[in-house]
Amino acid sequence: MHSIIRIKKHKSIASLKSRENHTYRRRETPNADPAKLHRNKLLYGQENYSAAADNFLQEYSSAGNKIRKDAVIAVEFLLTASPEFFDEGPKNERDERLKKWCEAQIEFMKKEHGEKNILCMYLHLDEKTPHLEAYVVPIDNRGKLNCKGFYGARNALNQLQTRYAAHNNVFGLQRGLKGSRATHQQVQKFYEQIKQPTKVNNENLQKAVKLEAPALKNILNPDVYMKEQEAKIYAKVARLFASTVYENKIIQQAKKILREWKRAEADAEKLKYKLESEKEALQEKLNRQTKAIQNLEQLQSDKNELQKQLSNAQIEISLMKETLSPNSKFK
């Protein structure tokens, strides 16, 4: 079983607000079960974490600190583990394990980013696998907004994975592996193999120990006949039970492939999470561009109106000049 941690960077309050709507299911969440919504709960920090981040940035700026336009203002964490970690044992054991695991995740985030910099830690129990969403402001030990100082290095995320696995080792969780060795070819080979062995059952066993009808020569020489029949029966039974041993090996292979598929599923969830994040970022960018186009269109409209007013004003000025001219015919 593996510990799983992923991060996403947020560069705007609007992006955080979008995630907040996801956190509290204010928008449709296909993987979530509405009947289990009541089980979700806030474990640490504030519910309205986008507003909390906004207030923090205003205080940070008021203190004379500059915030770059492309600065990461918050980091989102997804904390979870292999599904079987949460599923093993009776309900009371699962509940107690989940409680201790949640407490350990809060300790980890405090250790990583400091208690005062955690905006929110929220537990989701309405999806297939329990998981925590955590949001922090990346303030370094100098008191500066500095996400790059935490996750800018090339191997920073690998080191985060290692620290997280070490922290959760007490639960028997290990560091996740990169990629997955579970392939279509392996599974196809497995299905081909399980079709081959002969199953040991009563019917096949009776066939294996059944004596062949003796010929006349066998009746005249019963000792030779019995030895031949004994050898044949021994070979048939050996093949039957050899297939049982073979099946045990197949079962072990099946378990291995199942583990690999679970890893592949976790990788797929990770990719989905990344794609959702990229989609939200693109949507946010599209919204900004749409707004900019709308503003540009409004400016163009205002420009045309001003030009029209300017043209009218110029006509009025010309008329006034003609009226005030000494040679004007209007005198």
Side-chain angles (χ1 to χ4, degrees):
M1 294 183 291
H2 298 89
S3 59
I4 300 168
I5 183 171
R6 302 194 286 269
I7 74 167
K8 175 188 173 184
K9 301 171 184 178
H10 293 275
K11 297 185 178 182
S12 70
I13 297 299
S15 177
L16 268 182
K17 186 65 178 178
S18 176
R19 289 305 296 170
E20 190 177 286
N21 290 334
H22 167 80
T23 300
Y24 296 104
R25 307 312 193 217
R26 296 168 188 157
R27 66 186 185 198
E28 184 179 357
T29 306
N31 294 332
D33 183 355
K36 298 179 180 179
L37 180 61
H38 65 282
R39 299 176 60 190
N40 298 342
K41 57 183 175 180
L42 178 67
L43 297 183
Y44 191 87
Q46 303 180 50
E47 181 173 335
N48 192 353
Y49 54 82
S50 61
D54 195 19
N55 292 336
F56 174 86
L57 292 175
Q58 290 181 23
E59 294 177 2
Y60 182 81
S61 182
S62 298
N65 297 298
K66 292 184 178 180
I67 303 176
R68 299 191 319 273
K69 289 184 178 181
D70 63 340
V72 174
I73 63 173
V75 181
E76 174 184 350
F77 292 81
L78 178 70
L79 312 173
T80 187
S82 300
E84 57 268 29
F85 170 72
F86 300 102
D87 295 339
E88 289 182 345
K91 185 178 185 305
N92 61 327
E93 289 184 7
R94 297 198 306 269
D95 291 346
E96 183 63 22
R97 187 186 311 123
L98 177 63
K99 178 184 176 183
K100 291 182 178 179
W101 179 82
C102 288
E103 292 171 349
Q105 308 321 297
I106 294 174
E107 290 176 6
F108 178 78
M109 294 310 302
K110 287 181 178 179
K111 183 178 178 181
E112 284 289 304
H113 283 282
E115 183 175 346
K116 65 180 182 179
N117 297 321
I118 300 175
L119 296 170
C120 173
M121 293 190 71
Y122 196 82
L123 175 64
H124 279 144
L125 296 175
D126 61 348
E127 296 185 47
K128 182 178 179 181
T129 303
H131 59 274
L132 265 170
E133 285 183 9
Y135 298 85
V136 303
V137 180
I139 299 296
D140 63 19
N141 53 17
R142 298 174 299 132
K144 299 297 182 181
L145 190 65
N146 182 21
C147 182
K148 188 176 291 186
F150 291 99
Y151 306 113
R154 185 175 183 180
N155 61 343
L157 295 181
N158 284 332
Q159 292 176 353
L160 174 66
Q161 294 275 0
T162 300
R163 293 195 303 274
Y164 185 64
H167 182 81
N168 286 288
N169 186 254
V170 65
F171 298 106
L173 297 172
Q174 300 177 354
R175 191 188 191 286
L177 301 177
K178 293 183 179 180
S180 173
R181 296 187 301 274
T183 64
H184 174 75
Q185 287 78 10
Q186 280 182 301
V187 178
Q188 186 64 33
K189 182 180 179 181
F190 167 72
Y191 279 115
E192 290 174 356
Q193 288 175 332
I194 62 175
K195 294 177 183 178
Q196 296 176 6
T198 303
K199 294 182 179 179
V200 178
N201 54 42
N202 187 53
E203 181 181 355
N204 289 336
L205 193 56
Q206 286 183 2
K207 289 180 179 179
V209 299
K210 185 178 180 180
L211 293 172
E212 296 177 354
L216 179 60
K217 65 176 182 178
N218 301 134
I219 296 174
L220 297 175
N221 197 349
D223 290 339
V224 174
Y225 167 74
M226 292 305 298
K227 286 182 180 179
E228 289 177 350
Q229 291 300 302
E230 181 181 351
K232 289 181 179 180
I233 289 172
Y234 177 82
K236 291 178 182 178
V237 172
R239 281 197 296 271
L240 279 177
F241 284 92
S243 71
T244 302
V245 173
Y246 182 79
E247 284 182 333
N248 288 335
K249 293 181 180 178
I250 294 297
I251 290 171
Q252 294 302 318
Q253 185 179 356
K255 290 180 178 179
K256 179 180 178 181
I257 291 175
L258 182 59
R259 288 194 299 269
E260 298 297 345
W261 271 115
K262 287 181 178 178
R263 290 175 188 167
E265 184 182 39
D267 289 342
E269 285 290 330
K270 180 179 179 180
L271 178 60
K272 178 183 176 183
Y273 184 81
K274 179 181 178 183
L275 291 175
E276 285 181 351
S277 300
E278 291 177 352
K279 177 183 176 183
E280 289 177 2
L282 289 172
Q283 184 62 52
E284 184 183 350
K285 184 177 180 181
L286 178 61
N287 292 340
R288 289 198 303 268
Q289 291 177 343
T290 302
K291 187 175 180 180
I293 292 172
Q294 291 173 345
N295 291 338
L296 182 60
E297 290 175 347
Q298 184 61 47
L299 287 173
Q300 185 65 43
S301 176
D302 293 344
K303 177 185 175 183
N304 294 337
E305 183 62 28
L306 287 172
Q307 287 178 338
K308 183 178 179 180
Q309 293 178 9
L310 179 60
S311 178
N312 291 337
Q314 289 174 340
I315 293 173
E316 291 179 4
I317 291 171
S318 297
L319 291 174
M320 289 179 65
K321 285 181 178 180
E322 290 181 8
T323 302
L324 298 175
S325 174
N327 300 323
S328 175
K329 63 180 178 180
F330 296 105
K331 282 190 174 184

